[in-house]
Amino acid sequence: MKSGLWLFVLGLGELVIVGSYVVDRFTDVDLSSDTMTVLKVLIVVGAALIAGSAYRTWSATPTSVNLLATLLGLMAGATLASTVVTANDVQIYRSGLLGTLGTIGLVAAVAFAQVGMARGRENQP
């Protein structure tokens, strides 16, 4: 897959995760149980996309920046998935702190993955 498509996948996953975080923390919107379930599934899928994309970048170009993106993506994705899966029906995140850490970690993973992709393109002949 071309790196432009991977950047789109990373951006889409990041948009879902950051958008869900903003809705949960900064708005007073009451979401139905079905909407919460869909949002939780999208968060877990977005975290998996980011972690998988970061891993794909590292496996193609094993550099320290790509390794950092992969580790951040895996750890932050697991953190976010655990707090989303254990939340009750009226919450997106069970723990606000874990939601914050997972969101920040995944945003950092996307940033490092993009830096790694850019460096990989610079080094190609």
Side-chain angles (χ1 to χ4, degrees), residues 12 16 20-21 34-35 42 45-46 53 62 75 82 86 89 91 95 97 101 115 123:
L12 186 63
V16 167
S20 301
Y21 182 79
D34 293 338
T35 305
L42 287 175
V45 168
S53 296
M75 289 189 303
S82 70
T86 58
D89 290 342
Q91 297 175 319
S95 167
L97 178 61
L101 290 175
V115 167
N123 296 333

Side-chain angles (χ1 to χ4, degrees), residues 113-123:
Q114 289 174 343
V115 167
M117 285 182 200
R119 285 187 179 174
R121 283 192 303 266
E122 287 175 358
N123 296 333

Side-chain angles (χ1 to χ4, degrees), residues 3 23 40 68 70 90:
S3 61
V23 166
K40 290 177 182 182
L68 180 60
T70 301
V90 296

Side-chain angles (χ1 to χ4, degrees), residues 52-63 66 70:
S53 296
Y55 176 76
R56 178 221 171 249
T57 303
W58 173 67
S59 65
T61 313
T63 64
N66 292 337
T70 301

Side-chain angles (χ1 to χ4, degrees), residues 98-110:
L98 289 178
T100 301
L101 290 175
T103 302
I104 290 171
L106 286 173
V107 168
V110 169

